[in-house]
Amino acid sequence: MRLLIVEDEQRLAKALAKGLEAEGFAVDVVHSGIDGLHLATTGDYDLIILDIMLPGMNGYQVCAQLRAAGEETPVLMLTAKDGEYDEAEGLDTGADDYLSKPFSYVVLLARIRALLRRRTRGGATVLSVGDLTVDPNTRTCRRGTQEVTLTAKELAVLEHLAVRAGEVVSKSDILQHVWDFAYDGDPNIVEVYISALRRKIDAPFGRRSITTVRGAGYRLVADRG
């Protein structure tokens, strides 16, 4: 999952990005409303964390312009203000949720996961493909009753495939959602993680659930061996 943080408090933005990356998210950060609007309209994000008090263009304006342009990416607004009218204005401009500073990181993460659940599989908490399950909340993966230990990045790749189970997902699409826009390394890194996943979720169980569609990408399917 790829997130955009639009926050002018650079220390806070950096801390949030570090924590979310440790959870397996790809995170892009900008510090002004204008830059936030540009990335939000040109990039492909699963969720936007948007501060209200921003230089150049405030969060209300950014959110309103996104919604006017037909952009439906979930928006979680952050603000130092704390009042029902501020919350109402944020929601009226199209925000999906609202969190006042200071806030608990645990609460922020819970809000993010709740918004992402609404966006994937009709709000399903656990993603299931055959007897393979991925739980984005607990960051766990199981094959049947057996838990499979994955790194944060492996889980992020698998989660993206599971959200689109049965569809062909291109290498560039995986890169865009699991790695941030600043990544300039070898795009074949995706192949490395696909191979690692096959070794962990398929090979020990005699399965072939991740298939390669030559020249197109990868598909996650139910395979019972």
Side-chain angles (χ1 to χ4, degrees):
M1 294 287 182
R2 188 177 178 190
L3 311 182
L4 173 63
I5 297 176
V6 189
E7 168 62 67
D8 65 331
E9 294 182 41
Q10 297 193 21
R11 290 179 63 182
L12 174 60
K14 184 177 181 180
L16 291 179
K18 184 176 180 179
L20 292 169
E21 286 168 352
E23 294 289 332
F25 294 105
V27 183
D28 296 336
V29 178
V30 291
H31 305 296
S32 75
I34 294 172
D35 288 340
L37 181 62
H38 173 71
L39 276 191
T41 53
T42 58
D44 187 6
Y45 294 97
D46 297 288
L47 182 138
I48 299 168
I49 300 172
L50 178 65
D51 189 30
I52 289 180
M53 304 302 290
L54 293 166
M57 177 183 291
N58 67 39
Y60 297 134
Q61 295 169 316
V62 172
C63 190
Q65 289 201 29
L66 287 174
R67 297 305 186 232
E71 177 56 63
E72 298 180 352
T73 303
V75 172
L76 172 60
M77 275 193 166
L78 305 179
T79 182
K81 296 182 177 181
D82 186 12
E84 60 181 330
Y85 294 108
D86 300 316
E87 180 176 356
E89 185 174 355
L91 297 175
D92 283 345
T93 59
D96 297 273
D97 202 354
Y98 180 101
L99 200 56
S100 297
K101 301 175 185 176
F103 52 80
S104 160
Y105 175 75
V106 173
V107 172
L108 173 71
L109 189 58
R111 298 283 186 90
I112 288 171
R113 296 208 183 284
L115 289 174
L116 291 174
R117 281 200 301 274
R118 295 179 201 171
R119 190 172 200 205
T120 59
R121 294 276 182 104
T125 301
V126 178
L127 302 171
S128 299
V129 185
D131 67 346
L132 177 69
T133 59
V134 180
D135 189 335
N137 292 311
T138 60
R139 311 303 293 162
T140 56
C141 171
R142 291 182 179 277
R143 173 67 81 178
T145 59
Q146 185 170 334
E147 185 169 343
V148 180
T149 302
L150 301 177
T151 67
K153 193 66 77 176
E154 288 167 351
L155 193 65
V157 173
L158 181 59
E159 182 181 341
H160 188 57
L161 291 174
V163 166
R164 297 177 56 183
E167 301 177 23
V168 177
V169 184
S170 69
K171 184 186 297 183
S172 62
D173 187 72
I174 295 172
L175 272 174
Q176 191 172 52
H177 280 83
V178 181
W179 280 265
D180 61 45
F181 77 96
Y183 178 76
D184 61 357
D186 188 344
N188 289 327
I189 188 70
V190 174
E191 296 177 13
V192 174
Y193 279 90
I194 292 294
S195 295
L197 285 171
R198 284 171 170 155
R199 288 196 302 271
K200 293 182 177 183
I201 69 171
D202 280 351
F205 304 94
R207 309 298 175 82
R208 293 190 59 182
S209 61
I210 301 179
T211 61
T212 299
V213 181
R214 190 174 298 276
Y218 306 95
R219 180 191 287 120
L220 181 65
V221 297
D223 184 275
R224 297 189 177 278

